[in-house]
Amino acid sequence: MKIILLLILIPLILFSESSNMPVCNTQTALQALPPRIFQQTTIDGIGQNTYVTRFFHNKLGILGSEFGRCYLNFFDPVQVAKNTLYFGLIPWLFLSYKILTLKKWKFVIPILIFPVLTFFNIAFPVGYFHKFFAIIGLVLMAKVKIFPKNILPLIILLAIFLRFFKLAYVPVSLYWDEVSLGYNAYSILKTGQDEHGKFMPFTNFAAFGDYKPPLYIYATVPSVAAFGLNEFAVRFPSALFGVLTVYLTFQLARKLTENRIIALIAALFLAISPWHLQFSRGAFEGNLGLFFSTLGIYLFTQIQKNKWLLIPSLLSFIAAMYTFTGQRLFVPFILLVLFIQFRKDLIKNLKTTILAIAIFSIFFWPLYQFATQTIEGRLRFDEVTIFKDLDPINESVRYRQKDGLTYLSDIIHNRRFFYLHEYLIHYFDAFNPSFLFSHGDVNPRLSIQGTGELYYIDLPLILAGIYFLFKLKAKYRFLIIGWLLISPLGPATARETPHALRMIHILPTFQIIAAFGAYHLYKLIKYKKIFIFVVSSCLLLNFATYIHIYYSHWPTTYSGFWQYGYKQLVAAIKPHYQQSDSIVVSNYLGRAYVYFLFYMPIEPKDYHETKDLFRDNFAFIHVNGFGKFHFIESADSTKISGVTTFAMPPGSSPAGAQIINSVKDPTGKVIFEISQLSK
Amino acid sequence: MKYFLVKKHLGEIFLLVLIIFLAGALRIWQIDKNPPALFIDEVSNGYNAYSLLKTGKDEYGNFLPLTIRAFGDYNPALSAYLLIPSIAVFGLNELAVRLPSALLGTLTVAAVFFLALKVFQSRKAAFLSSFFLAISPWHLQFSRYDHEANFMLSFSVIGITLLLYSVKKKSLLILSALSFGLCLNSYHASKVWVPLIVLAIAIIYHKELLKNKKYLLISLVIIVISALPFMINIQNSLIRAQSVGIINSKESPLPLFLNGYLSHFAPNFLFIEGDLIGRHSVSGMGQLYVFELPLILLGIIQILKTKNKSQEMKFILAWLILAPIPAALATPTPHALRSLNLVPVFAMLSAFGLNSIIEFKIPSLFKKVAILALGFVAFYNIATYFHLYYKHEPTLKAADWRYGYKQMVEFVNQVKKDGQTVAITNYFGQPYIYVLFYTKFDPKLYQELGNKDKIGNIEFFGASWQKPNDQKAILVRPAWQIPNDPKINIMKKIYGPGQSDELFFVITEE
């Protein structure tokens, strides 16, 4: 266990970016000398004994202090922390403390001499000194059994680090939904109304006409209040609840497997899972929904201890359904599994059960009304579901016609069978190994491409885990396997499968199963050290590849999928806002308006008063403009008067307009041309 | 306490009195001349206190305010109320404005003696602690002028000391809570600091605190009541936090916080360079003496090494870790004022380090050499500090302290004829408050005028000023704004203190 952690932490420290120290050598010290002496003697020299002046302002003293400045720079805690990814500071201090208290003078002297090298222009990688120092400290900490006692805080710290590090910069920019969530939260904060002026929506936020569930937006309100309207604030709830989910996984796995070590491994696996990291690092409602459904399941498993926990458990499931649409087709199924698993306890406390279900129904009712009885609520489901496809019907008709429309053929080639067939194809997609292990979701917003949703090493561990779950007759195997199998039932109704986001509630079953497998394999195998070494180095290799692609390649390669450029566009237009009478922006990348609302930022009240929007046939809401802004498809359709600033795709600025600026994507391709025209 | 009432220990009482006397002397001597001038905030505080004394209202006419608006920073009002007695006695001048800070600084030195006595259970370490604080450049810097941060420090040290003694004598808990309440109302940073340190106390001393529930309840009520003034004005109280807080910065707040936090432990900040803001440190020195570096390291190691640490030692470590947090939540960092709570900890750590050298069981020759070398460096350090502080700082930092306003206002006040217009540049910031302060302008009259751009015949201008009529007017401008015109009658040039050739104001008549 600690070896795995070490193997993850050490490269993290070693390959983190080195930060540079200020240049400091004999030359800079000598340069600093004359001005200091001059400055000090000019004030001093008047009416004072020369020896006194020399005593206080001798060259030796000043050189000494300049030398001290360089020397102590080396031990600047900010530098040490930057070079060791902040958490490395703790082992760094630990090692220093140990060396000093154990009186290892033979180490102290070289360490104290190192900084002198920098002083004499001897090239010396200072950053690496700190890195190695921290790593040795880390190994020492592991050896003196400081962290095996309680490894959970370390896992949580790792989870925090992986979820919050550069949160505002990777993913590279905010995509539509994130901005929309953020601006709706801002609007709620300022006016109590959503972007369309509806007061405190309960079942849905209309947003783009996609009728977003409300809870993520309400969760973002305090974050926007605290951090302002920016990337960090919008993503903060997701990252925070992602960390909490890791903790919850530990608790849940401990309950389900009745083994603390397996629980720790499961939490670690979730902390570094690409699937979970992907959605914890963006404002994805699904991730908050996952937290609530996991909390619901965890609380449900506790009802043996305290029957009243059933109520918060069901409320948590309600919260999940108010957070993410995908949960609405998961909660009923998982409740069924849970009811079967805990049937005895539920029947024993029948009154509590009935009360809890009553409360559940009260809160569920408005959502049920909205989702099934209104056009808006049904629209999105109808849009994505396979059951509105006509192909299976046509297919069925074709087969039956070939068979001559016999009675038997009506049964065999019944359209329902065709739909079932279609549905099963989509269901099995969820367990497609290529999706799980090698490629991940095809949508570059939902996975980084190039690594799977799980690590390769998870494959044998998961298989082993399933084997051991049944072989050892684990107490809660029905719940774990049931959870795994019912998770794709909902997402399989949609056309796009496998879909990592809609199926996010399958987490953390894979991690718990893999942890179960890993633990029992370890118990079984004779060469334990070799096993640990092989597993952890495979995991490490996988993890390193993932982290590298995530931070170095993915942001630039797929910036378009994150609507990169809108923020830069708003920044480029902002200086011209005051002087322009109108600002015309091409809508060719879609939904430009919300970025202007978000990044300007526009007061929600002003927006409510001046917005100009229309609904299309699919109930999507398009914004034509507000205030000075106009969003259009092509440049010709505008009537110009006064000073107009244009933001157009390259090459399509209106004739006669003067191009003043351009916005490029990370690869250098121009996405917007900004021009000005006055009449 | 009883210990000191025994006759036998007269020598030690004498030593303590001597240290306190030294602390007082170092804080009060030449306090009106050095720092060389009253800074804007001091003047504003002083005038507000004067206004409160004369009319019961602040400069904006608010009756007994809970926060002082000043220049829009809405400080807790205690900083102004504390100046009232000394202004009543000494009048509106430098001494009166700075004396409360100096006295509270001296009181802090005394409090640290008792604090260290409780923490280290050693009189030697306690004497050394208060001595180190008495001569600490960091503490001297802020005890020698009027700043709320020093009030915060005093009240928090007194509160903590009383709290540690309340384990034995329970009624002290209430006094301690009162002191924390005052601390809460002294400075912006204390709104972060007091909750943090009270939480640390609650965690470390929860057993003892829960033993006397009655006093605990009263204390909690006191603290909640003292939090009311800023809770009531929460909107205004947050203004300052919004302008300097890290959350409103463009960079992401977490690394900013971590870097800011760690920068307060940067050896360069502590021992070589000091705070880069001129008023916060002596140039050419760190916040502490260089010779304290090994002592502090040793002190920390000694505390960490102690097995079965006493609660007090754990508390000192918590204090050390928590103290920079208020400063790290704002920019710029490192910031010697917002992290002022570090000062007594460093003094105590130095003292503990030195104390353990003295008590080490090492060959006496070795020890003698070490102490001698340390003593030599210490002597050189301390001598250099006082030399720099008294000889160089007044000249070097004249601009930082807004030197020249006093001389300018007094001169103008002397030469101007009745009804003559005076125009003063606001290039150096907030000239109105200096005019109010040094002309001892009637607060009641000013509250009625309520105009920061014009007081009587005195006007303040930005880039340039247009003469309203043909009469001769007195103009006050920075040197570079004076046109090269022989007809202009230069009345006086205001230079920096002593022999300085730094030119601040040129007073002309046109």
Side-chain angles (χ1 to χ4, degrees), chain B residues 280-402:
Chain B
H280 293 181
S281 73
V282 172
S283 64
M285 287 242 343
Q287 297 298 127
L288 304 168
Y289 296 113
V290 177
F291 79 87
E292 286 181 272
L293 172 61
L295 297 182
I296 289 173
L297 271 180
L298 196 64
I300 293 178
I301 288 173
Q302 285 298 323
I303 288 186
L304 287 176
K305 253 175 79 175
T306 314
K307 291 218 171 86
N308 306 323
K309 288 182 218 18
S310 65
Q311 285 165 313
E312 284 79 13
M313 283 192 176
K314 280 184 200 160
F315 177 66
I316 289 295
L317 287 179
W319 187 348
L320 179 70
I321 290 165
L322 294 176
I325 289 179
L329 289 172
T331 51
T333 50
H335 197 284
L337 259 177
R338 297 188 191 122
S339 61
L340 195 60
N341 284 308
L342 277 171
V343 181
V345 192
F346 281 133
M348 284 160 70
L349 288 174
S350 303
F352 194 55
L354 185 56
N355 189 42
S356 48
I357 291 185
I358 297 170
E359 283 173 1
F360 270 159
K361 288 186 183 107
I362 44 174
S364 73
L365 179 71
F366 213 69
K367 198 147 106 179
K368 273 178 193 159
V369 170
I371 291 180
L372 207 68
L374 203 68
F376 176 74
V377 177
F379 171 73
Y380 188 74
N381 273 175
I382 296 169
T384 312
Y385 165 69
F386 284 109
H387 172 74
L388 288 175
Y389 189 80
Y390 284 97
K391 190 88 186 182
H392 294 267
E393 282 294 291
T395 322
L396 214 56
K397 300 279 174 67
D400 289 300
W401 289 97
R402 304 290 186 274

Side-chain angles (χ1 to χ4, degrees), chain A residues 276-325:
Chain A
H276 194 236
L277 279 173
Q278 184 70 19
F279 297 120
S280 295
R281 293 183 55 94
F284 287 99
E285 296 153 331
N287 193 47
L288 185 59
L290 172 67
F291 168 78
F292 284 123
S293 64
T294 316
L295 180 65
I297 294 168
Y298 171 67
L299 290 174
F300 210 111
T301 60
Q302 298 295 314
I303 58 169
Q304 283 161 325
K305 270 191 202 154
N306 183 348
K307 58 180 179 176
W308 294 108
L309 284 177
L310 187 61
I311 296 172
S313 162
L314 292 188
L315 284 179
S316 186
F317 282 120
I318 286 283
M321 287 195 284
Y322 276 94
T323 308
F324 183 50
T325 38

Side-chain angles (χ1 to χ4, degrees), chain A residues 291-562:
Chain A
F291 168 78
F292 284 123
S293 64
T294 316
L295 180 65
I297 294 168
Y298 171 67
L299 290 174
F300 210 111
T301 60
Q302 298 295 314
I303 58 169
Q304 283 161 325
K305 270 191 202 154
N306 183 348
K307 58 180 179 176
W308 294 108
L309 284 177
L310 187 61
I311 296 172
S313 162
L314 292 188
L315 284 179
S316 186
F317 282 120
I318 286 283
M321 287 195 284
Y322 276 94
T323 308
F324 183 50
T325 38
Q327 289 283 349
R328 293 171 193 171
L329 284 175
F330 169 65
V331 170
F333 298 117
I334 190 72
L335 278 179
L336 190 68
V337 172
L338 285 166
F339 273 72
I340 295 171
Q341 177 83 52
F342 294 100
R343 57 190 180 279
K344 280 178 200 157
D345 303 292
L346 292 173
I347 292 167
K348 206 166 72 190
N349 306 308
L350 203 58
K351 275 183 199 160
T352 324
T353 312
I354 291 170
L355 179 68
I357 292 174
I359 294 174
F360 179 84
S361 312
I362 292 169
F363 283 100
F364 182 60
W365 186 247
L367 187 68
Y368 178 77
Q369 283 288 324
F370 168 72
T372 60
Q373 306 299 315
T374 64
I375 299 172
E376 292 95 342
R378 283 210 313 254
L379 212 61
R380 271 336 126 220
F381 179 75
D382 292 351
E383 194 184 76
V384 296
T385 184
I386 50 169
F387 296 113
K388 295 283 162 185
D389 262 352
L390 295 178
D391 288 349
I393 300 180
N394 296 339
E395 198 88 332
S396 151
V397 171
R398 206 167 335 123
Y399 272 98
R400 277 158 57 208
Q401 276 171 345
K402 252 188 194 165
D403 288 343
L405 294 170
T406 60
Y407 185 66
L408 188 68
S409 170
D410 274 1
I411 294 174
I412 291 178
H413 299 303
N414 188 304
R415 67 171 75 166
R416 281 158 201 88
F417 284 131
F418 278 90
Y419 274 118
L420 182 66
H421 175 67
E422 194 75 6
Y423 180 73
L424 286 176
I425 290 175
H426 285 287
Y427 178 82
F428 290 124
D429 261 350
F431 301 108
N432 182 345
S434 148
F435 163 71
L436 289 179
F437 299 105
S438 52
H439 190 273
D441 199 294
V442 287
N443 184 340
R445 213 153 50 207
L446 307 184
S447 104
I448 59 164
Q449 315 295 306
T451 66
E453 296 296 336
L454 304 169
Y455 294 118
Y456 283 117
I457 187 69
D458 285 335
L459 177 58
L461 297 181
I462 288 169
L463 291 177
I466 294 173
Y467 169 76
F468 284 114
L469 274 177
F470 288 102
K471 168 107 191 292
L472 302 171
K473 301 220 164 86
K475 194 172 165 193
Y476 291 103
R477 62 183 185 281
F478 173 75
L479 173 57
I480 298 172
I481 298 294
W483 180 358
L484 183 74
L485 292 179
I486 57 112
S487 289
L489 287 177
T493 57
R495 241 173 259 127
E496 297 164 301
T497 52
H499 196 288
L501 180 57
R502 288 191 197 128
M503 209 170 65
I504 188 174
H505 46 249
I506 203 166
L507 297 175
T509 52
F510 283 124
Q511 281 71 23
I512 294 175
I513 294 170
F516 197 81
Y519 178 77
H520 287 290
L521 272 179
Y522 173 78
K523 286 266 145 152
L524 191 75
I525 281 173
K526 201 174 163 195
Y527 303 102
K528 297 191 191 310
K529 284 198 172 155
I530 294 178
F531 172 72
I532 287 189
F533 178 76
V534 169
V535 169
S536 46
S537 49
C538 283
L539 190 64
L540 193 70
L541 199 67
N542 269 187
F543 177 65
T545 318
Y546 164 72
I547 285 290
H548 173 72
I549 297 179
Y550 187 87
Y551 283 101
S552 310
H553 296 284
W554 180 65
T556 46
T557 321
Y558 294 102
S559 66
F561 286 86
W562 288 87

Side-chain angles (χ1 to χ4, degrees), chain A residues 36 39-41 43-44 46-48 52-58 61 64-66 68-70 72-73 75-78 81-82 86 89 97 100-101 103 160 164 168-169 226-228 230 232, chain B residues 247-256 258-260 262-268 271-273 283-285 293 297 300-301 304-306 376 379-380 383-385 387-388 391-392 395-396 499:
Chain A
R36 274 186 77 168
Q39 186 196 28
Q40 303 192 334
T41 47
I43 296 170
D44 224 52
I46 304 147
Q48 186 172 277
V52 178
T53 310
R54 281 205 192 142
F55 175 74
F56 286 123
H57 304 296
N58 63 63
S65 104
E66 288 294 326
R69 181 199 305 271
C70 292
L72 292 178
N73 255 342
F75 295 106
D76 186 347
V78 182
K82 276 184 181 169
Y86 293 96
L89 186 63
Y97 172 70
L100 285 175
T101 49
K103 304 211 174 79
I160 291 174
F164 282 94
Y169 307 104
F227 305 116
N230 55 38
F232 183 81
Chain B
I247 277 163
N248 295 299
S249 158
K250 276 178 188 160
E251 292 166 60
S252 59
L254 191 67
L256 215 55
L258 289 173
N259 290 344
L262 292 173
S263 69
H264 290 93
F265 295 110
N268 254 335
F271 303 106
I272 305 284
E273 275 172 343
S283 64
M285 287 242 343
L293 172 61
L297 271 180
I300 293 178
I301 288 173
L304 287 176
K305 253 175 79 175
T306 314
F376 176 74
F379 171 73
Y380 188 74
T384 312
Y385 165 69
H387 172 74
L388 288 175
K391 190 88 186 182
H392 294 267
T395 322
L396 214 56
Q499 310 284 333

